[in-house]
Amino acid sequence: MSDSRTVFVAGGAGFIGLHVVNQLLERDWKVRIFDNMWRGDRDKANELAKTGNVEVIDQDIRSGAAVAAAMKGASHVIHLAADSINKSVADPYSSIDVNVVGSHNVFATAADQGIQRVVYASSASVYGDPEKLPMHEDDKLNPLTPYCITKRTGEDLLRYYERRAGLSWIALRFFNVYGPGQKTTAYYTSVINHFVNRLRNGEAPVIDGAGEQSMDFIHVKDIARAVVLATESEKANAAINVGTGIDTSVAQLARILIDAIGADVEPQFNPREVLVSRRAADTTRAKEMLGFEYSIPVGEGMTDLIRFEAAQDKK
Ligand SMILES: NC(=O)c1ccc[n+]([C@@H]2O[C@H](COP(=O)([O-])OP(=O)(O)OC[C@H]3O[C@@H](n4cnc5c(N)ncnc54)[C@H](O)[C@@H]3O)[C@@H](O)[C@H]2O)c1
């Protein structure tokens, strides 16, 4: 495989990874998917390999030797591989191992091999519970779980290799990503799945408290576009939020999904004390540095997702 415009994509067979790889191929990149298939879709990755522009390497980022061998000759790196947030509280040892040791292998190797740009999947969860909305990149970080701590550590390691070896990097702080191909267990967005399942059974979505807790839902195709823009951007060396800037409350989400499914029900409210957390990205830096703005409004994205899932069920 030729060396110019070749991207090593760690975690490229995962939910976001497959969308990223598809968009890279549309822009004539050659791709090496490096994934241990823990949560990856091997069949879809192998399908992409048939284009002749994708190699699939079934290896683990915890092996520095495997990373070094597979990255040789690549020009760019996108690092999406991680232990999930759900697993991090139950098994912090594994989180630290994959997300810190593994990420370090990716970044140190990229610095050693003179990679032109590293794009890293960080997370809005590095902020913890925000003190104000929208959440700005320079706000205080307060990561609350091992997963969130590892994401901040990843950003710090990138800054270290920038100082030590001139590494060029962008850390994208993804907000609440949703869309076709997402695992039903996804932590923040599992509420979508829960509501959709109830609506499909003719049941009303049940909302705890007043449904005021909110998320900044961003469609996976918009996320993938931001990743490609960050890979190709002339600007670098910063953490950048990737969200819509809009906080959608759980009550609004229930209404959006009822309309998308066309169900004849009203949401039910389960009165109880709920810790209201809210999220919305400050999107100024993404626009200024990457020229990125979201393109898929949440109502349209959820309607598409429901159509996609209904089509999958019929297969
Ligand atoms: N989905 C979201 O809402 C969201 C939000 C913020 C940040 N992120 C981050 O974006 C990235 C991609 O998320 P996703 O939703 O596509 O998750 P995912 O689990 O679908 O994808 C991660 C991929 O990494 C692979 N992987 C895991 N451990 C590995 C290892 N040790 N070696 C090699 N490959 C390994 C998995 O097999 C999987 O294919 C992750 O880093 C995640 O933390 C996601």
Side-chain angles (χ1 to χ4, degrees), residues 231-254:
T231 308
E232 297 178 347
S233 170
E234 284 173 8
K235 303 205 174 120
N237 306 339
I240 303 177
N241 289 337
V242 190
T244 64
I246 300 164
D247 60 323
T248 301
S249 71
V250 169
Q252 283 170 325
L253 175 71

Side-chain angles (χ1 to χ4, degrees), residues 39 83-91 147 185-188 190:
R39 275 156 65 92
D83 238 21
S84 64
I85 195 164
N86 304 38
K87 208 173 143 192
S88 97
V89 175
D91 190 353
Y147 169 90
T185 50
Y187 182 76
Y188 286 109
S190 61

Side-chain angles (χ1 to χ4, degrees), residues 161-174:
Y161 281 105
E162 177 196 346
R163 290 193 300 275
R164 216 208 83 185
L167 187 70
S168 168
W169 59 276
I170 292 181
L172 296 175
R173 294 182 181 158
F174 298 159

Side-chain angles (χ1 to χ4, degrees), residues 5 7 46 49 70 79 104 117 148 154 177 204 216 248 254 263 268 272 279:
R5 283 177 71 84
V7 203
N46 287 339
H79 176 33
H104 179 258
R117 165 69 44 78
C148 313
V177 190
D216 183 338
T248 301
Q268 280 171 18
R272 62 175 206 147
R279 279 190 169 191

Side-chain angles (χ1 to χ4, degrees), residues 42-246:
R42 192 188 301 271
D43 292 344
K44 286 214 176 105
N46 287 339
E47 200 55 42
L48 288 170
K50 289 186 189 155
T51 60
N53 290 321
V54 177
E55 255 181 80
V56 182
I57 300 147
D58 188 338
Q59 291 279 3
D60 198 300
I61 54 168
R62 284 169 290 188
S63 163
V67 170
M71 204 184 282
K72 211 158 263 159
S75 56
H76 293 66
V77 165
I78 297 172
H79 176 33
L80 306 167
D83 238 21
S84 64
I85 195 164
N86 304 38
K87 208 173 143 192
S88 97
V89 175
D91 190 353
Y93 293 92
S94 170
S95 268
I96 303 294
D97 215 16
V98 174
N99 297 3
V100 179
V101 177
S103 293
H104 179 258
N105 285 336
V106 174
F107 302 154
T109 307
D112 274 359
Q113 297 193 5
I115 289 292
Q116 292 170 37
R117 165 69 44 78
V118 174
V119 178
Y120 171 54
S122 184
S123 164
S125 65
V126 295
Y127 295 108
D129 292 326
E131 285 165 11
K132 60 162 184 60
L133 294 188
M135 296 143 81
H136 187 273
E137 288 87 347
D138 294 336
D139 288 352
K140 195 175 121 232
L141 302 185
N142 184 22
L144 297 172
T145 66
Y147 169 90
C148 313
I149 293 165
T150 65
K151 287 292 175 186
R152 181 168 80 174
T153 304
E155 294 187 7
D156 287 339
L157 286 169
L158 286 166
R159 288 189 185 92
Y160 168 68
Y161 281 105
E162 177 196 346
R163 290 193 300 275
R164 216 208 83 185
L167 187 70
S168 168
W169 59 276
I170 292 181
L172 296 175
R173 294 182 181 158
F174 298 159
F175 278 64
N176 304 109
V177 190
Y178 72 96
Q182 184 153 39
K183 280 108 198 148
T184 51
T185 50
Y187 182 76
Y188 286 109
T189 39
S190 61
V191 63
I192 301 174
N193 196 50
H194 177 65
F195 285 174
V196 168
N197 284 342
R198 286 190 60 89
L199 287 167
R200 284 186 158 176
N201 291 329
E203 296 161 347
V206 180
I207 297 168
D208 284 336
E212 288 166 328
Q213 56 280 33
S214 72
M215 281 173 251
D216 183 338
F217 291 108
I218 174 140
H219 196 277
V220 65
K221 283 193 181 142
D222 277 333
I223 286 282
R225 193 162 50 82
V227 172
V228 175
L229 283 168
T231 308
E232 297 178 347
S233 170
E234 284 173 8
K235 303 205 174 120
N237 306 339
I240 303 177
N241 289 337
V242 190
T244 64
I246 300 164

